[in-house]
Amino acid sequence: MKKILVTGGLGYIGSHTVVELQKSDFQVIIVDNLSNSSIDVLEGITNISKTPPRFERLDLRLKADVSDFFKRNKDIEGIIHFAASKAVGESVENPLLYYENNLNTLIYLLQECNAYGINNFIFSSSCTVYGEPDSLPITEDAQIKIATSPYGNTKQISEEILKDTCSVSELMAIALRYFNPIGAHETAEIGELPAGVPQNLVPFITQTAAGVRKELSIFGTDYPTEDGSCIRDYIHVVDLARAHVVALQRLLSKNTPAVDNHNYEVFNLGTGRGSSVLEVVNSFEKTTGQKLNYKKVGRRVGDVISVYADTKKANEILGWKTEKTMEEALLSAWKWEQKVRGID
Ligand code: NAD
Ligand code: UFG
């Protein structure tokens, strides 16, 4: 069994990916500093897979602790690096926190990869690197726009760091540009646990339906889209998680990445379909039977109008495509919220 390190593996996307890795017979070791997750997630993962993953509490900003961890774990064959801070607004208020947490952690990990000959690395990037796209759907070779937040900038710089490192070492890396992950595991054992007031649409919807929030604000209904609200590519988190396993298998089989890419590849992970905010709200109401309290308000600063993925590269090269529907994702998110809130 190949041993894979999953950083941030108790977080939202990491935990779902750990389950998929275990399903595919990988041995997983999770490190997380619990800054945005709970230790209870370990139990949720174990309830699904019946195999407790190894876990070590580690803050990846502490270089000496990271070195010590690798000294004790020389048999790691691949790394999936989720650990990062991800709140766009917070990154504007506290840029140094974001540059430290999102860049130093990556650099320390790559230094250990060099030291121990760990050559397979998967990185969580974001469609935020595209900014407001010139054409849709967005392909991987679309222009990278100047980042509109320190968070977005950390993803752009991280991609550069990976590309440069791959070009001068044995490292092979895949950066996965996620579109908008939503939903939870069908068992409701794991899901998204936003700290404080949710910034993202679907957790805000489910918390409103659960009565935790009074009403949902629809940010902007005067955009140049069919119904006036913004368009995003919402992808079920389990589909997203599966893509990590496929990408890892691609690296481990040395089937790539192409030499002319200097051992570095990028893939969009989305459904290829754009949905408006109002469509998501309507779909939630229809699928769950829950009436949502919402109001239309002004635009949110920094929102792009419309983004959705061209998924051809991931479909053809990774042989991966999404299988789950928006309805399944919203239903699973609602089931998870009900469990968290103790609603029958
Ligand atoms: P999350 O916050 O749920 O998970 C991240 C995990 O990393 C948390 O468990 C947190 O405790 C841990 N962590 C943070 N800093 C750490 C550190 N210094 N040392 C150890 N552990 C640390 O976030 P997520 O939604 O699962 O996102 C995972 C990755 O995907 C992030 O890199 C994020 O930027 C990226 N991403 C997320 C989205 C999204 O919408 N959720 C979209 C695009 C990209
Ligand atoms: N929205 C609302 N009301 C809310 C929350 C969101 O109307 O309470 C709208 C937003 O205005 C946007 C859409 O719902 O039009 C989606 O918003 P999210 O915050 O869920 O997602 P974003 O597309 O803004 O951001 C996500 C990730 C970021 C990442 C970005 C890349 O959360 O980490 O995609 O585009 F940087």
mmCIF file with all atom_site columns, all heavy atoms in Angstrom, residues 1 18-19 21-28 30 41-55:
data_model
loop_
_atom_site.group_PDB
_atom_site.id
_atom_site.type_symbol
_atom_site.label_atom_id
_atom_site.label_alt_id
_atom_site.label_comp_id
_atom_site.label_asym_id
_atom_site.label_entity_id
_atom_site.label_seq_id
_atom_site.pdbx_PDB_ins_code
_atom_site.Cartn_x
_atom_site.Cartn_y
_atom_site.Cartn_z
_atom_site.occupancy
_atom_site.B_iso_or_equiv
_atom_site.pdbx_formal_charge
_atom_site.auth_seq_id
_atom_site.auth_comp_id
_atom_site.auth_asym_id
_atom_site.auth_atom_id
_atom_site.pdbx_PDB_model_num
ATOM 1   N N   . MET A 1 1  ? 0.844   -1.209 0.000  1.00 0.00 ? 1  MET A N   1
ATOM 2   C CA  . MET A 1 1  ? 0.000   0.000  0.000  1.00 0.00 ? 1  MET A CA  1
ATOM 3   C C   . MET A 1 1  ? 0.873   1.250  0.000  1.00 0.00 ? 1  MET A C   1
ATOM 4   O O   . MET A 1 1  ? 1.770   1.390  0.834  1.00 0.00 ? 1  MET A O   1
ATOM 5   C CB  . MET A 1 1  ? -0.841  0.014  1.275  1.00 0.00 ? 1  MET A CB  1
ATOM 6   C CG  . MET A 1 1  ? -2.190  -0.602 1.113  1.00 0.00 ? 1  MET A CG  1
ATOM 7   S SD  . MET A 1 1  ? -2.966  -0.641 2.759  1.00 0.00 ? 1  MET A SD  1
ATOM 8   C CE  . MET A 1 1  ? -4.504  0.151  2.450  1.00 0.00 ? 1  MET A CE  1
ATOM 9   N N   . VAL A 1 18 ? -9.606  11.948 1.508  1.00 0.00 ? 18 VAL A N   1
ATOM 10  C CA  . VAL A 1 18 ? -9.052  10.843 2.302  1.00 0.00 ? 18 VAL A CA  1
ATOM 11  C C   . VAL A 1 18 ? -9.935  9.600  2.131  1.00 0.00 ? 18 VAL A C   1
ATOM 12  O O   . VAL A 1 18 ? -9.434  8.485  1.908  1.00 0.00 ? 18 VAL A O   1
ATOM 13  C CB  . VAL A 1 18 ? -8.941  11.239 3.800  1.00 0.00 ? 18 VAL A CB  1
ATOM 14  C CG1 . VAL A 1 18 ? -8.663  10.021 4.678  1.00 0.00 ? 18 VAL A CG1 1
ATOM 15  C CG2 . VAL A 1 18 ? -7.858  12.295 3.981  1.00 0.00 ? 18 VAL A CG2 1
ATOM 16  N N   . VAL A 1 19 ? -11.239 9.785  2.198  1.00 0.00 ? 19 VAL A N   1
ATOM 17  C CA  . VAL A 1 19 ? -12.165 8.650  2.028  1.00 0.00 ? 19 VAL A CA  1
ATOM 18  C C   . VAL A 1 19 ? -11.966 7.986  0.664  1.00 0.00 ? 19 VAL A C   1
ATOM 19  O O   . VAL A 1 19 ? -11.890 6.756  0.553  1.00 0.00 ? 19 VAL A O   1
ATOM 20  C CB  . VAL A 1 19 ? -13.634 9.133  2.196  1.00 0.00 ? 19 VAL A CB  1
ATOM 21  C CG1 . VAL A 1 19 ? -14.619 8.085  1.714  1.00 0.00 ? 19 VAL A CG1 1
ATOM 22  C CG2 . VAL A 1 19 ? -13.899 9.509  3.646  1.00 0.00 ? 19 VAL A CG2 1
ATOM 23  N N   . LEU A 1 21 ? -9.297  8.099  -1.219 1.00 0.00 ? 21 LEU A N   1
ATOM 24  C CA  . LEU A 1 21 ? -7.959  7.468  -1.268 1.00 0.00 ? 21 LEU A CA  1
ATOM 25  C C   . LEU A 1 21 ? -8.006  6.101  -0.581 1.00 0.00 ? 21 LEU A C   1
ATOM 26  O O   . LEU A 1 21 ? -7.459  5.117  -1.079 1.00 0.00 ? 21 LEU A O   1
ATOM 27  C CB  . LEU A 1 21 ? -6.925  8.351  -0.559 1.00 0.00 ? 21 LEU A CB  1
ATOM 28  C CG  . LEU A 1 21 ? -6.471  9.609  -1.293 1.00 0.00 ? 21 LEU A CG  1
ATOM 29  C CD1 . LEU A 1 21 ? -5.717  10.547 -0.340 1.00 0.00 ? 21 LEU A CD1 1
ATOM 30  C CD2 . LEU A 1 21 ? -5.577  9.256  -2.489 1.00 0.00 ? 21 LEU A CD2 1
ATOM 31  N N   . GLN A 1 22 ? -8.667  6.052  0.563  1.00 0.00 ? 22 GLN A N   1
ATOM 32  C CA  . GLN A 1 22 ? -8.763  4.780  1.288  1.00 0.00 ? 22 GLN A CA  1
ATOM 33  C C   . GLN A 1 22 ? -9.538  3.754  0.466  1.00 0.00 ? 22 GLN A C   1
ATOM 34  O O   . GLN A 1 22 ? -9.175  2.583  0.427  1.00 0.00 ? 22 GLN A O   1
ATOM 35  C CB  . GLN A 1 22 ? -9.445  5.005  2.641  1.00 0.00 ? 22 GLN A CB  1
ATOM 36  C CG  . GLN A 1 22 ? -8.574  5.797  3.606  1.00 0.00 ? 22 GLN A CG  1
ATOM 37  C CD  . GLN A 1 22 ? -9.259  5.992  4.938  1.00 0.00 ? 22 GLN A CD  1
ATOM 38  O OE1 . GLN A 1 22 ? -10.446 6.332  4.988  1.00 0.00 ? 22 GLN A OE1 1
ATOM 39  N NE2 . GLN A 1 22 ? -8.535  5.799  6.023  1.00 0.00 ? 22 GLN A NE2 1
ATOM 40  N N   . LYS A 1 23 ? -10.572 4.223  -0.216 1.00 0.00 ? 23 LYS A N   1
ATOM 41  C CA  . LYS A 1 23 ? -11.372 3.353  -1.075 1.00 0.00 ? 23 LYS A CA  1
ATOM 42  C C   . LYS A 1 23 ? -10.493 2.729  -2.174 1.00 0.00 ? 23 LYS A C   1
ATOM 43  O O   . LYS A 1 23 ? -10.723 1.632  -2.638 1.00 0.00 ? 23 LYS A O   1
ATOM 44  C CB  . LYS A 1 23 ? -12.457 4.210  -1.728 1.00 0.00 ? 23 LYS A CB  1
ATOM 45  C CG  . LYS A 1 23 ? -13.827 3.619  -1.762 1.00 0.00 ? 23 LYS A CG  1
ATOM 46  C CD  . LYS A 1 23 ? -14.611 4.492  -2.693 1.00 0.00 ? 23 LYS A CD  1
ATOM 47  C CE  . LYS A 1 23 ? -16.002 4.721  -2.400 1.00 0.00 ? 23 LYS A CE  1
ATOM 48  N NZ  . LYS A 1 23 ? -16.637 5.679  -3.271 1.00 0.00 ? 23 LYS A NZ  1
ATOM 49  N N   . SER A 1 24 ? -9.495  3.505  -2.616 1.00 0.00 ? 24 SER A N   1
ATOM 50  C CA  . SER A 1 24 ? -8.597  3.032  -3.673 1.00 0.00 ? 24 SER A CA  1
ATOM 51  C C   . SER A 1 24 ? -7.328  2.400  -3.096 1.00 0.00 ? 24 SER A C   1
ATOM 52  O O   . SER A 1 24 ? -6.314  2.311  -3.783 1.00 0.00 ? 24 SER A O   1
ATOM 53  C CB  . SER A 1 24 ? -8.221  4.194  -4.595 1.00 0.00 ? 24 SER A CB  1
ATOM 54  O OG  . SER A 1 24 ? -9.364  4.672  -5.240 1.00 0.00 ? 24 SER A OG  1
ATOM 55  N N   . ASP A 1 25 ? -7.414  2.003  -1.818 1.00 0.00 ? 25 ASP A N   1
ATOM 56  C CA  . ASP A 1 25 ? -6.330  1.238  -1.175 1.00 0.00 ? 25 ASP A CA  1
ATOM 57  C C   . ASP A 1 25 ? -5.037  2.003  -0.954 1.00 0.00 ? 25 ASP A C   1
ATOM 58  O O   . ASP A 1 25 ? -3.968  1.381  -0.912 1.00 0.00 ? 25 ASP A O   1
ATOM 59  C CB  . ASP A 1 25 ? -6.043  -0.054 -1.963 1.00 0.00 ? 25 ASP A CB  1
ATOM 60  C CG  . ASP A 1 25 ? -7.113  -1.085 -1.693 1.00 0.00 ? 25 ASP A CG  1
ATOM 61  O OD1 . ASP A 1 25 ? -7.765  -0.983 -0.640 1.00 0.00 ? 25 ASP A OD1 1
ATOM 62  O OD2 . ASP A 1 25 ? -7.312  -1.963 -2.561 1.00 0.00 ? 25 ASP A OD2 1
ATOM 63  N N   . PHE A 1 26 ? -5.123  3.296  -0.816 1.00 0.00 ? 26 PHE A N   1
ATOM 64  C CA  . PHE A 1 26 ? -3.935  4.034  -0.390 1.00 0.00 ? 26 PHE A CA  1
ATOM 65  C C   . PHE A 1 26 ? -3.925  4.075  1.140  1.00 0.00 ? 26 PHE A C   1
ATOM 66  O O   . PHE A 1 26 ? -4.986  4.091  1.779  1.00 0.00 ? 26 PHE A O   1
ATOM 67  C CB  . PHE A 1 26 ? -3.953  5.472  -0.934 1.00 0.00 ? 26 PHE A CB  1
ATOM 68  C CG  . PHE A 1 26 ? -3.654  5.554  -2.402 1.00 0.00 ? 26 PHE A CG  1
ATOM 69  C CD1 . PHE A 1 26 ? -4.675  5.740  -3.338 1.00 0.00 ? 26 PHE A CD1 1
ATOM 70  C CD2 . PHE A 1 26 ? -2.347  5.415  -2.870 1.00 0.00 ? 26 PHE A CD2 1
ATOM 71  C CE1 . PHE A 1 26 ? -4.406  5.803  -4.695 1.00 0.00 ? 26 PHE A CE1 1
ATOM 72  C CE2 . PHE A 1 26 ? -2.068  5.485  -4.228 1.00 0.00 ? 26 PHE A CE2 1
ATOM 73  C CZ  . PHE A 1 26 ? -3.097  5.673  -5.141 1.00 0.00 ? 26 PHE A CZ  1
ATOM 74  N N   . GLN A 1 27 ? -2.707  4.099  1.676  1.00 0.00 ? 27 GLN A N   1
ATOM 75  C CA  . GLN A 1 27 ? -2.562  4.287  3.119  1.00 0.00 ? 27 GLN A CA  1
ATOM 76  C C   . GLN A 1 27 ? -2.381  5.787  3.346  1.00 0.00 ? 27 GLN A C   1
ATOM 77  O O   . GLN A 1 27 ? -1.488  6.389  2.757  1.00 0.00 ? 27 GLN A O   1
ATOM 78  C CB  . GLN A 1 27 ? -1.342  3.522  3.598  1.00 0.00 ? 27 GLN A CB  1
ATOM 79  C CG  . GLN A 1 27 ? -1.232  3.445  5.089  1.00 0.00 ? 27 GLN A CG  1
ATOM 80  C CD  . GLN A 1 27 ? 0.133   2.989  5.534  1.00 0.00 ? 27 GLN A CD  1
ATOM 81  O OE1 . GLN A 1 27 ? 0.873   2.368  4.770  1.00 0.00 ? 27 GLN A OE1 1
ATOM 82  N NE2 . GLN A 1 27 ? 0.491   3.303  6.752  1.00 0.00 ? 27 GLN A NE2 1
ATOM 83  N N   . VAL A 1 28 ? -3.233  6.353  4.184  1.00 0.00 ? 28 VAL A N   1
ATOM 84  C CA  . VAL A 1 28 ? -3.236  7.811  4.312  1.00 0.00 ? 28 VAL A CA  1
ATOM 85  C C   . VAL A 1 28 ? -2.679  8.246  5.663  1.00 0.00 ? 28 VAL A C   1
ATOM 86  O O   . VAL A 1 28 ? -3.013  7.663  6.694  1.00 0.00 ? 28 VAL A O   1
ATOM 87  C CB  . VAL A 1 28 ? -4.679  8.352  4.176  1.00 0.00 ? 28 VAL A CB  1
ATOM 88  C CG1 . VAL A 1 28 ? -4.714  9.855  4.399  1.00 0.00 ? 28 VAL A CG1 1
ATOM 89  C CG2 . VAL A 1 28 ? -5.252  8.009  2.809  1.00 0.00 ? 28 VAL A CG2 1
ATOM 90  N N   . ILE A 1 30 ? -2.670  11.860 7.671  1.00 0.00 ? 30 ILE A N   1
ATOM 91  C CA  . ILE A 1 30 ? -3.176  13.241 7.636  1.00 0.00 ? 30 ILE A CA  1
ATOM 92  C C   . ILE A 1 30 ? -2.354  14.095 8.585  1.00 0.00 ? 30 ILE A C   1
ATOM 93  O O   . ILE A 1 30 ? -2.067  13.671 9.708  1.00 0.00 ? 30 ILE A O   1
ATOM 94  C CB  . ILE A 1 30 ? -4.648  13.285 8.131  1.00 0.00 ? 30 ILE A CB  1
ATOM 95  C CG1 . ILE A 1 30 ? -5.563  12.479 7.200  1.00 0.00 ? 30 ILE A CG1 1
ATOM 96  C CG2 . ILE A 1 30 ? -5.139  14.725 8.268  1.00 0.00 ? 30 ILE A CG2 1
ATOM 97  C CD1 . ILE A 1 30 ? -6.994  12.333 7.737  1.00 0.00 ? 30 ILE A CD1 1
ATOM 98  N N   . VAL A 1 41 ? -13.710 15.044 12.824 1.00 0.00 ? 41 VAL A N   1
ATOM 99  C CA  . VAL A 1 41 ? -13.768 14.633 11.410 1.00 0.00 ? 41 VAL A CA  1
ATOM 100 C C   . VAL A 1 41 ? -13.109 13.256 11.231 1.00 0.00 ? 41 VAL A C   1
ATOM 101 O O   . VAL A 1 41 ? -13.535 12.455 10.388 1.00 0.00 ? 41 VAL A O   1
ATOM 102 C CB  . VAL A 1 41 ? -13.088 15.704 10.506 1.00 0.00 ? 41 VAL A CB  1
ATOM 103 C CG1 . VAL A 1 41 ? -13.028 15.262 9.057  1.00 0.00 ? 41 VAL A CG1 1
ATOM 104 C CG2 . VAL A 1 41 ? -13.834 17.030 10.624 1.00 0.00 ? 41 VAL A CG2 1
ATOM 105 N N   . LEU A 1 42 ? -12.124 12.985 12.081 1.00 0.00 ? 42 LEU A N   1
ATOM 106 C CA  . LEU A 1 42 ? -11.445 11.673 12.002 1.00 0.00 ? 42 LEU A CA  1
ATOM 107 C C   . LEU A 1 42 ? -12.447 10.535 12.193 1.00 0.00 ? 42 LEU A C   1
ATOM 108 O O   . LEU A 1 42 ? -12.387 9.517  11.496 1.00 0.00 ? 42 LEU A O   1
ATOM 109 C CB  . LEU A 1 42 ? -10.397 11.566 13.110 1.00 0.00 ? 42 LEU A CB  1
ATOM 110 C CG  . LEU A 1 42 ? -8.951  11.886 12.790 1.00 0.00 ? 42 LEU A CG  1
ATOM 111 C CD1 . LEU A 1 42 ? -8.081  11.588 13.998 1.00 0.00 ? 42 LEU A CD1 1
ATOM 112 C CD2 . LEU A 1 42 ? -8.454  11.078 11.576 1.00 0.00 ? 42 LEU A CD2 1
ATOM 113 N N   . GLU A 1 43 ? -13.353 10.738 13.128 1.00 0.00 ? 43 GLU A N   1
ATOM 114 C CA  . GLU A 1 43 ? -14.369 9.719  13.420 1.00 0.00 ? 43 GLU A CA  1
ATOM 115 C C   . GLU A 1 43 ? -15.314 9.559  12.224 1.00 0.00 ? 43 GLU A C   1
ATOM 116 O O   . GLU A 1 43 ? -15.669 8.449  11.845 1.00 0.00 ? 43 GLU A O   1
ATOM 117 C CB  . GLU A 1 43 ? -15.138 10.133 14.665 1.00 0.00 ? 43 GLU A CB  1
ATOM 118 C CG  . GLU A 1 43 ? -15.958 9.026  15.264 1.00 0.00 ? 43 GLU A CG  1
ATOM 119 C CD  . GLU A 1 43 ? -16.781 9.545  16.453 1.00 0.00 ? 43 GLU A CD  1
ATOM 120 O OE1 . GLU A 1 43 ? -16.250 10.348 17.249 1.00 0.00 ? 43 GLU A OE1 1
ATOM 121 O OE2 . GLU A 1 43 ? -17.958 9.156  16.528 1.00 0.00 ? 43 GLU A OE2 1
ATOM 122 N N   . GLY A 1 44 ? -15.676 10.706 11.617 1.00 0.00 ? 44 GLY A N   1
ATOM 123 C CA  . GLY A 1 44 ? -16.548 10.663 10.442 1.00 0.00 ? 44 GLY A CA  1
ATOM 124 C C   . GLY A 1 44 ? -15.900 9.865  9.316  1.00 0.00 ? 44 GLY A C   1
ATOM 125 O O   . GLY A 1 44 ? -16.539 9.010  8.688  1.00 0.00 ? 44 GLY A O   1
ATOM 126 N N   . ILE A 1 45 ? -14.624 10.125 9.081  1.00 0.00 ? 45 ILE A N   1
ATOM 127 C CA  . ILE A 1 45 ? -13.898 9.400  8.026  1.00 0.00 ? 45 ILE A CA  1
ATOM 128 C C   . ILE A 1 45 ? -13.878 7.904  8.350  1.00 0.00 ? 45 ILE A C   1
ATOM 129 O O   . ILE A 1 45 ? -14.168 7.054  7.499  1.00 0.00 ? 45 ILE A O   1
ATOM 130 C CB  . ILE A 1 45 ? -12.447 9.944  7.902  1.00 0.00 ? 45 ILE A CB  1
ATOM 131 C CG1 . ILE A 1 45 ? -12.443 11.392 7.403  1.00 0.00 ? 45 ILE A CG1 1
ATOM 132 C CG2 . ILE A 1 45 ? -11.606 9.040  6.991  1.00 0.00 ? 45 ILE A CG2 1
ATOM 133 C CD1 . ILE A 1 45 ? -11.068 12.074 7.439  1.00 0.00 ? 45 ILE A CD1 1
ATOM 134 N N   . THR A 1 46 ? -13.576 7.601  9.597  1.00 0.00 ? 46 THR A N   1
ATOM 135 C CA  . THR A 1 46 ? -13.468 6.199  10.013 1.00 0.00 ? 46 THR A CA  1
ATOM 136 C C   . THR A 1 46 ? -14.815 5.490  9.907  1.00 0.00 ? 46 THR A C   1
ATOM 137 O O   . THR A 1 46 ? -14.885 4.319  9.498  1.00 0.00 ? 46 THR A O   1
ATOM 138 C CB  . THR A 1 46 ? -12.928 6.120  11.459 1.00 0.00 ? 46 THR A CB  1
ATOM 139 O OG1 . THR A 1 46 ? -11.735 6.897  11.524 1.00 0.00 ? 46 THR A OG1 1
ATOM 140 C CG2 . THR A 1 46 ? -12.621 4.690  11.855 1.00 0.00 ? 46 THR A CG2 1
ATOM 141 N N   . ASN A 1 47 ? -15.899 6.197  10.234 1.00 0.00 ? 47 ASN A N   1
ATOM 142 C CA  . ASN A 1 47 ? -17.225 5.579  10.120 1.00 0.00 ? 47 ASN A CA  1
ATOM 143 C C   . ASN A 1 47 ? -17.544 5.206  8.680  1.00 0.00 ? 47 ASN A C   1
ATOM 144 O O   . ASN A 1 47 ? -18.231 4.223  8.419  1.00 0.00 ? 47 ASN A O   1
ATOM 145 C CB  . ASN A 1 47 ? -18.307 6.524  10.650 1.00 0.00 ? 47 ASN A CB  1
ATOM 146 C CG  . ASN A 1 47 ? -18.265 6.636  12.155 1.00 0.00 ? 47 ASN A CG  1
ATOM 147 O OD1 . ASN A 1 47 ? -17.631 5.810  12.818 1.00 0.00 ? 47 ASN A OD1 1
ATOM 148 N ND2 . ASN A 1 47 ? -18.911 7.655  12.700 1.00 0.00 ? 47 ASN A ND2 1
ATOM 149 N N   . ILE A 1 48 ? -17.049 5.988  7.745  1.00 0.00 ? 48 ILE A N   1
ATOM 150 C CA  . ILE A 1 48 ? -17.310 5.679  6.330  1.00 0.00 ? 48 ILE A CA  1
ATOM 151 C C   . ILE A 1 48 ? -16.418 4.546  5.856  1.00 0.00 ? 48 ILE A C   1
ATOM 152 O O   . ILE A 1 48 ? -16.879 3.576  5.254  1.00 0.00 ? 48 ILE A O   1
ATOM 153 C CB  . ILE A 1 48 ? -17.074 6.925  5.436  1.00 0.00 ? 48 ILE A CB  1
ATOM 154 C CG1 . ILE A 1 48 ? -18.017 8.058  5.821  1.00 0.00 ? 48 ILE A CG1 1
ATOM 155 C CG2 . ILE A 1 48 ? -17.260 6.566  3.949  1.00 0.00 ? 48 ILE A CG2 1
ATOM 156 C CD1 . ILE A 1 48 ? -17.678 9.399  5.174  1.00 0.00 ? 48 ILE A CD1 1
ATOM 157 N N   . SER A 1 49 ? -15.124 4.687  6.113  1.00 0.00 ? 49 SER A N   1
ATOM 158 C CA  . SER A 1 49 ? -14.176 3.754  5.478  1.00 0.00 ? 49 SER A CA  1
ATOM 159 C C   . SER A 1 49 ? -13.861 2.542  6.344  1.00 0.00 ? 49 SER A C   1
ATOM 160 O O   . SER A 1 49 ? -13.239 1.594  5.868  1.00 0.00 ? 49 SER A O   1
ATOM 161 C CB  . SER A 1 49 ? -12.875 4.491  5.147  1.00 0.00 ? 49 SER A CB  1
ATOM 162 O OG  . SER A 1 49 ? -12.269 4.899  6.347  1.00 0.00 ? 49 SER A OG  1
ATOM 163 N N   . LYS A 1 50 ? -14.270 2.596  7.614  1.00 0.00 ? 50 LYS A N   1
ATOM 164 C CA  . LYS A 1 50 ? -13.983 1.518  8.585  1.00 0.00 ? 50 LYS A CA  1
ATOM 165 C C   . LYS A 1 50 ? -12.491 1.362  8.838  1.00 0.00 ? 50 LYS A C   1
ATOM 166 O O   . LYS A 1 50 ? -12.050 0.381  9.417  1.00 0.00 ? 50 LYS A O   1
ATOM 167 C CB  . LYS A 1 50 ? -14.568 0.152  8.144  1.00 0.00 ? 50 LYS A CB  1
ATOM 168 C CG  . LYS A 1 50 ? -16.015 0.178  7.705  1.00 0.00 ? 50 LYS A CG  1
ATOM 169 C CD  . LYS A 1 50 ? -16.956 0.470  8.862  1.00 0.00 ? 50 LYS A CD  1
ATOM 170 C CE  . LYS A 1 50 ? -18.381 0.668  8.383  1.00 0.00 ? 50 LYS A CE  1
ATOM 171 N NZ  . LYS A 1 50 ? -19.064 1.784  8.995  1.00 0.00 ? 50 LYS A NZ  1
ATOM 172 N N   . THR A 1 51 ? -11.709 2.307  8.343  1.00 0.00 ? 51 THR A N   1
ATOM 173 C CA  . THR A 1 51 ? -10.259 2.276  8.568  1.00 0.00 ? 51 THR A CA  1
ATOM 174 C C   . THR A 1 51 ? -9.840  3.637  9.097  1.00 0.00 ? 51 THR A C   1
ATOM 175 O O   . THR A 1 51 ? -9.959  4.635  8.377  1.00 0.00 ? 51 THR A O   1
ATOM 176 C CB  . THR A 1 51 ? -9.505  2.037  7.234  1.00 0.00 ? 51 THR A CB  1
ATOM 177 O OG1 . THR A 1 51 ? -10.141 0.984  6.541  1.00 0.00 ? 51 THR A OG1 1
ATOM 178 C CG2 . THR A 1 51 ? -8.037  1.714  7.464  1.00 0.00 ? 51 THR A CG2 1
ATOM 179 N N   . PRO A 1 52 ? -9.365  3.706  10.325 1.00 0.00 ? 52 PRO A N   1
ATOM 180 C CA  . PRO A 1 52 ? -8.933  5.014  10.809 1.00 0.00 ? 52 PRO A CA  1
ATOM 181 C C   . PRO A 1 52 ? -7.659  5.457  10.099 1.00 0.00 ? 52 PRO A C   1
ATOM 182 O O   . PRO A 1 52 ? -6.672  4.704  10.077 1.00 0.00 ? 52 PRO A O   1
ATOM 183 C CB  . PRO A 1 52 ? -8.664  4.786  12.312 1.00 0.00 ? 52 PRO A CB  1
ATOM 184 C CG  . PRO A 1 52 ? -8.655  3.317  12.515 1.00 0.00 ? 52 PRO A CG  1
ATOM 185 C CD  . PRO A 1 52 ? -9.199  2.629  11.308 1.00 0.00 ? 52 PRO A CD  1
ATOM 186 N N   . PRO A 1 53 ? -7.659  6.635  9.503  1.00 0.00 ? 53 PRO A N   1
ATOM 187 C CA  . PRO A 1 53 ? -6.412  7.103  8.898  1.00 0.00 ? 53 PRO A CA  1
ATOM 188 C C   . PRO A 1 53 ? -5.448  7.521  10.003 1.00 0.00 ? 53 PRO A C   1
ATOM 189 O O   . PRO A 1 53 ? -5.886  7.869  11.094 1.00 0.00 ? 53 PRO A O   1
ATOM 190 C CB  . PRO A 1 53 ? -6.843  8.318  8.074  1.00 0.00 ? 53 PRO A CB  1
ATOM 191 C CG  . PRO A 1 53 ? -8.109  8.782  8.698  1.00 0.00 ? 53 PRO A CG  1
ATOM 192 C CD  . PRO A 1 53 ? -8.755  7.614  9.368  1.00 0.00 ? 53 PRO A CD  1
ATOM 193 N N   . ARG A 1 54 ? -4.153  7.461  9.738  1.00 0.00 ? 54 ARG A N   1
ATOM 194 C CA  . ARG A 1 54 ? -3.205  7.984  10.725 1.00 0.00 ? 54 ARG A CA  1
ATOM 195 C C   . ARG A 1 54 ? -3.335  9.493  10.753 1.00 0.00 ? 54 ARG A C   1
ATOM 196 O O   . ARG A 1 54 ? -3.546  10.116 9.709  1.00 0.00 ? 54 ARG A O   1
ATOM 197 C CB  . ARG A 1 54 ? -1.780  7.600  10.334 1.00 0.00 ? 54 ARG A CB  1
ATOM 198 C CG  . ARG A 1 54 ? -1.277  6.379  11.080 1.00 0.00 ? 54 ARG A CG  1
ATOM 199 C CD  . ARG A 1 54 ? 0.191   6.167  10.822 1.00 0.00 ? 54 ARG A CD  1
ATOM 200 N NE  . ARG A 1 54 ? 1.020   7.259  11.323 1.00 0.00 ? 54 ARG A NE  1
ATOM 201 C CZ  . ARG A 1 54 ? 2.271   7.461  10.928 1.00 0.00 ? 54 ARG A CZ  1
ATOM 202 N NH1 . ARG A 1 54 ? 2.834   6.672  10.034 1.00 0.00 ? 54 ARG A NH1 1
ATOM 203 N NH2 . ARG A 1 54 ? 2.985   8.466  11.436 1.00 0.00 ? 54 ARG A NH2 1
ATOM 204 N N   . PHE A 1 55 ? -3.201  10.075 11.913 1.00 0.00 ? 55 PHE A N   1
ATOM 205 C CA  . PHE A 1 55 ? -3.322  11.530 12.016 1.00 0.00 ? 55 PHE A CA  1
ATOM 206 C C   . PHE A 1 55 ? -2.237  12.083 12.932 1.00 0.00 ? 55 PHE A C   1
ATOM 207 O O   . PHE A 1 55 ? -1.930  11.492 13.954 1.00 0.00 ? 55 PHE A O   1
ATOM 208 C CB  . PHE A 1 55 ? -4.690  11.928 12.595 1.00 0.00 ? 55 PHE A CB  1
ATOM 209 C CG  . PHE A 1 55 ? -4.759  13.388 12.964 1.00 0.00 ? 55 PHE A CG  1
ATOM 210 C CD1 . PHE A 1 55 ? -4.768  14.362 11.982 1.00 0.00 ? 55 PHE A CD1 1
ATOM 211 C CD2 . PHE A 1 55 ? -4.773  13.789 14.299 1.00 0.00 ? 55 PHE A CD2 1
ATOM 212 C CE1 . PHE A 1 55 ? -4.803  15.726 12.311 1.00 0.00 ? 55 PHE A CE1 1
ATOM 213 C CE2 . PHE A 1 55 ? -4.814  15.144 14.644 1.00 0.00 ? 55 PHE A CE2 1
ATOM 214 C CZ  . PHE A 1 55 ? -4.828  16.107 13.643 1.00 0.00 ? 55 PHE A CZ  1
#
